[in-house]
Amino acid sequence: MKQLMLGNQAFARGLYEAGCEVVSSYPGTPSTEVTEEAAKFEEIYCEWAPNEKVAMEVAFGASLAGKRSFCGMKHVGLNVAADPLYTAAYTGVNAGLVVCVADDAGMHSSQNEQDSRHHAIASKVPMLEPSDSAESLAFAKLAFEISEEFDTPVIMKMCTRVAHSQSVVEISDRVVPEMKAYEKNIQKYVMMPGNAIRRHPVVEERMKKLTEWAETCELNRVEKGGTSLGIITSSTSYQYAKEVYGEDASILKLGMVNPLPVKLIKDFADSVDRLIVIEELDPIIENHVKSLGIQVSGKDLLPICGEFSQNLIAKALGKEIPESVSLEDTMPARPPLMCAGCPHRGLFYVLSKNKVTVLGDIGCYTLGAVAPLSAMDMTLCMGASISSIHGFNKARGAETEGKTVAVIGDSTFMHSGMTGLANIAYNQSNSTVIILDNSITGMTGHQQNPTTGYNIKGDPAGKIDLEALCKAMGFERVRVVDPYNLEETEAAVKEELAVCEPSVIISRRPCALLKTVKHNAPYTCDKDKCKSCKACMRIGCPALSLKDGKVVVDATLCVGCGVCKQLCKFDALKEG
Amino acid sequence: MTKNIMIVGVGGQGSLLASKLLGRLLLDAGFDVKVSEVHGMSQRGGSVVTYVRFGEKVYSPIIDKGEADYIVSFELLEAARYVEYLKPEGKIVVNTQTIDPMPVITGAMEYPENLVEKMQAKGIYVDAMDCLKLANEAGSSKAVNLVLMGKLSKYFDEIPEEKWIEAIKVCVPPKFVELNLKAFELGKNN
């Protein structure tokens, strides 16, 4: 039966049909749904790991034990998991091991737009790249076969437009291969120098074989469309190229982007008058083609930054684009922002009011940087808030210790904040760390984590006690505040900044979007009492706006958190 | 010939249900379909766009400027923001509800006035309606998406109403079917 599926859902279906039995991942847009969808199959053991490195090592362990396994992550997650990946290329696998990495050209929900193909090249691991949901399903199954045939992990690279687009797939039954025997093999699996020296040539030989295989494999195909123009492309760029050229150009569509074929490309280049590589982000295919001594266009015409579209390609290649109309008005931008009732808002208001330097981290709370709160000075990568505040304070000492904080979410803290905190405890800086505990992994759409007490299926699970953890590391000063209470929150921030020792504040209040959170009745504003002072507007709540100079509360958005009321000196904002 | 429907609105307004419904409906009608969604950070109260494309064979999952046959908008400013994506002969179906974006909330900018009239002055076909009012009439402010779908259905002569109703029954949890069918009817008949 034909059905529509997200690329990520189709990928999960592929895992199911291929008989994958163990899945361990860390959520990250646009990769999250592969694991969420896989978790819906009873037959697959699925979990959220604390971070991508752990997830990949779990999947590696399951492969070693003899069962097909998988782990998924976003592009920057592969940086975290690079350590096991690069050496798993040496050990190879027992049962098939497939890794999903999802790139985010255009940075819809990411802090950079690195091109993950570099990781595949550098780690010498084959990488497949589907261009729609049907391929996501088919390639996932094929990836396990390649993994077992060539004894290597296989990476499948998704991108936002493949991961989050629905297209038509046809499903088939699950076939579970027989579990592989586990045999102790020190030379293959214990990567100390004496053994690794013997494994490196195996990796090089494997890549040669894979390159030969790439010449004729079904993943790479030529679609004939005349001889005047030839296009080499992959992934979503293939879809844009087809949209622009239809049957008017010949296309070499690559489904495996590492290693790249040689003869196939040479023959294709010989068959056309002009050759263009259409690929998002870095010129990886283009540079490979050039290294073969073939004249080719690519990044001389198309951008390295951002994502492509059919019009972008058409325009760059001298084709007409459709006409359109526009209005003269400058439209006010509508950037993403913290939701009405977001527990982070009260804390960021306090930090903004007290002009605190805020070293931030990755999550919903990165939106604390948005006006009018503008309460963030830095965001780099998962966990960097805590590690960086230590460096910041070591560099400037007392000058900054009393007015700088690190803010990090509960899930990000579990991911890679704990090691930074250990460094503060060990190397002793008078740093103040605020853990924003909203009892969920928020930004990626509500995934459980080690602090929530539930697993990926929603069943009760182990629960790490943040206060006990911080105390066990040696922090004497660990306190919990409710960020809906501005007075309490401000007092805690001021006190902890003032003391000359490291401290942790846990700002605790569950995400307002959680189904388990009961909302209060929406607030209302008494127009007669409102003096238009706009004090309540300083928190940047989307439920508040001004109509004819007076504050109006949007009852469809307001969850009754009451933070605005605490800022009103005229008693104009009222419950219910 | 590929047809293009853009669904725009503010994160959290429920556009994912609308695109799910359209996807199901168009697939059942025998078309090749692609639906492209936005997840993650952009969803948090930001401007959200969903692309629905259908035809004999659909390649690109996204709709580019000048390509949309229809823009279905959950909010007035968002319709105006994406006007450039409309084909000159395209149609806009818009909920006249307004939600202030942050630059308006902070007072840095004004919410543009008379947007429906300005779009019409450019020769654009605009079908504007207070869908929030009709959704409330149906029983829930969350049913704006089905009011809009009801309105959109009027422009799809080739798809009979039973097919829409069938798709709604499949895409909506059983306990909300009645409410959503009512919202659909209100959208279609107003």
Side-chain angles (χ1 to χ4, degrees), chain A residues 166 309-310 328 334 337, chain B residues 35 37 44 60 64 78 122:
Chain A
Q166 299 179 41
S309 70
Q310 49 267 36
E328 280 79 27
R334 196 186 295 276
L337 38 83
Chain B
V35 179
E37 304 166 356
R44 299 277 172 264
S60 171
D64 220 323
E78 295 311 307
K122 292 279 178 187

Side-chain angles (χ1 to χ4, degrees), chain A residues 2-4 6 29 33 108-109 132 161 164-168 236 238-240 242-243 247 308-312 322-337 339 364 366-367 371-372 442-443 445 513 537 540-542 544-545 547 556, chain B residues 10 19-20 23-24 27 32-37 39-42 44-47 51 53 58-67 75 77-78 80-81 83-84 86 88 97 99-106 109-113 115 118-119 122 124 141:
Chain A
K2 282 185 176 179
Q3 52 186 291
L4 277 178
L6 278 181
T29 313
E33 300 80 8
H108 296 272
S109 200
D132 61 16
R161 295 301 181 187
H164 288 164
S165 292
Q166 299 179 41
S167 59
V168 180
T236 192
Y238 162 78
Q239 306 291 357
Y240 304 141
K242 286 296 280 188
E243 189 76 32
E247 312 297 317
F308 288 178
S309 70
Q310 49 267 36
N311 280 3
L312 180 144
E323 283 178 35
S324 62
V325 287
S326 58
L327 302 183
E328 280 79 27
D329 291 68
T330 307
M331 301 297 164
R334 196 186 295 276
L337 38 83
C339 309
C364 283
T366 311
L367 295 168
M443 180 60 84
L513 297 183
M537 305 294 282
C541 177
L544 300 180
S545 58
K547 290 275 173 324
T556 63
Chain B
V10 179
S19 61
K20 186 178 167 191
R24 177 79 198 201
L27 187 69
D32 185 24
V33 184
K34 282 192 178 169
V35 179
S36 198
E37 304 166 356
H39 298 234
M41 185 179 255
S42 321
R44 299 277 172 264
S47 175
Y51 308 107
R53 309 192 72 212
V58 180
Y59 288 108
S60 171
I62 63 170
I63 298 169
D64 220 323
K65 287 179 183 167
E67 289 188 337
E75 199 268 355
L77 173 62
E78 295 311 307
R81 186 189 310 285
V83 153
E84 279 183 288
L86 201 66
Q97 184 189 354
I99 299 174
D100 286 353
M102 199 41 72
V104 174
I105 291 177
T106 59
M109 285 182 87
E110 299 269 322
Y111 195 104
E113 290 184 327
L115 286 171
K118 282 174 185 165
M119 289 189 278
K122 292 279 178 187
I124 298 166
S141 61

Side-chain angles (χ1 to χ4, degrees), chain A residues 415-431:
Chain A
H415 180 285
S416 41
M418 287 189 288
T419 39
L421 200 69
N423 192 40
I424 292 176
Y426 170 44
N427 287 310
Q428 291 287 306
S429 59
N430 293 331
S431 297

Side-chain angles (χ1 to χ4, degrees), chain A residues 56 59-60 63 69-71 88 93 95-99 143-144 147 152-154:
Chain A
M56 193 174 293
F60 176 79
S63 155
S69 63
F70 166 84
C71 72
V93 301
L97 171 58
V98 174
V99 175
F144 280 106
S147 175
T152 175
V154 174

Side-chain angles (χ1 to χ4, degrees), chain A residues 161-216:
Chain A
R161 295 301 181 187
V162 174
H164 288 164
S165 292
Q166 299 179 41
S167 59
V168 180
V169 299
E170 287 189 64
I171 60 172
S172 45
D173 292 335
R174 173 172 166 94
V175 179
V176 183
E178 200 177 322
M179 185 165 67
K180 306 260 183 199
Y182 171 70
E183 283 162 20
K184 184 166 178 167
N185 186 342
I186 291 175
Q187 285 76 24
K188 185 170 188 282
Y189 293 119
V190 181
M191 284 304 94
M192 54 189 187
N195 294 334
I197 283 169
R198 290 187 195 90
R199 290 299 300 175
H200 188 182
V202 174
V203 176
E204 299 304 324
E205 193 54 36
R206 177 202 297 148
M207 287 307 280
K208 272 188 202 158
K209 283 185 184 153
L210 277 160
T211 306
E212 279 167 31
W213 188 77
E215 304 291 357
T216 55

Side-chain angles (χ1 to χ4, degrees), chain A residues 205-456:
Chain A
E205 193 54 36
R206 177 202 297 148
M207 287 307 280
K208 272 188 202 158
K209 283 185 184 153
L210 277 160
T211 306
E212 279 167 31
W213 188 77
E215 304 291 357
T216 55
C217 74
E218 58 183 291
L219 289 159
N220 302 329
R221 65 167 189 263
V222 174
E223 296 175 8
K224 296 243 189 251
T227 56
S228 59
L229 177 65
I231 295 168
I232 305 178
T233 187
S234 71
S235 185
T236 192
S237 296
Y238 162 78
Q239 306 291 357
Y240 304 141
K242 286 296 280 188
E243 189 76 32
V244 173
Y245 286 98
E247 312 297 317
D248 299 336
S250 286
I251 291 181
L252 171 53
K253 196 250 179 215
L254 298 171
M256 183 156 86
V257 289
N258 189 53
L260 289 163
V262 174
K263 187 169 182 297
L264 183 63
I265 288 173
K266 282 182 173 169
D267 290 349
F268 181 73
D270 286 343
S271 74
V272 293
D273 302 333
R274 183 183 174 212
L275 189 63
I276 301 176
V277 172
I278 301 180
E279 60 187 321
E280 282 181 338
L281 302 176
D282 294 338
I284 287 172
I285 301 171
E286 181 185 344
N287 287 346
H288 172 75
V289 174
K290 283 178 175 165
S291 77
L292 302 176
I294 298 166
Q295 199 178 356
V296 63
S297 279
K299 295 299 171 186
D300 50 338
L301 302 171
L302 294 155
I304 285 179
C305 303
E307 64 173 342
F308 288 178
S309 70
Q310 49 267 36
N311 280 3
L312 180 144
I313 289 170
K315 205 172 168 189
L317 303 184
K319 306 262 283 187
E320 273 187 33
I321 58 168
E323 283 178 35
S324 62
V325 287
S326 58
L327 302 183
E328 280 79 27
D329 291 68
T330 307
M331 301 297 164
R334 196 186 295 276
L337 38 83
M338 285 190 276
C339 309
C342 176
H344 304 324
R345 178 172 285 106
L347 176 80
F348 281 109
Y349 170 74
V350 165
L351 296 176
S352 172
K353 183 186 166 196
N354 288 281
K355 297 187 172 53
V356 177
T357 300
V358 181
L359 304 186
D361 225 297
I362 307 286
C364 283
Y365 50 91
T366 311
L367 295 168
V370 177
L373 293 167
S374 309
M376 197 162 287
D377 294 66
M378 182 285 290
T379 301
L380 184 67
C381 64
M382 298 284 282
S385 60
I386 301 185
S387 323
S388 298
I389 193 176
H390 177 74
F392 200 76
N393 286 339
K394 282 290 177 193
R396 287 185 171 252
E399 182 195 343
T400 56
E401 282 169 353
K403 53 183 182 191
T404 308
V405 298
V407 295
I408 185 166
D410 48 336
S411 184
T412 309
F413 179 71
M414 281 293 125
H415 180 285
S416 41
M418 287 189 288
T419 39
L421 200 69
N423 192 40
I424 292 176
Y426 170 44
N427 287 310
Q428 291 287 306
S429 59
N430 293 331
S431 297
T432 303
V433 172
I434 305 178
I435 301 174
L436 306 167
D437 180 10
N438 64 349
S439 311
I440 203 73
T441 312
M443 180 60 84
T444 43
H446 287 177
Q447 288 75 34
Q448 304 295 341
N449 69 54
T451 68
T452 66
Y454 295 94
N455 64 21
I456 191 170

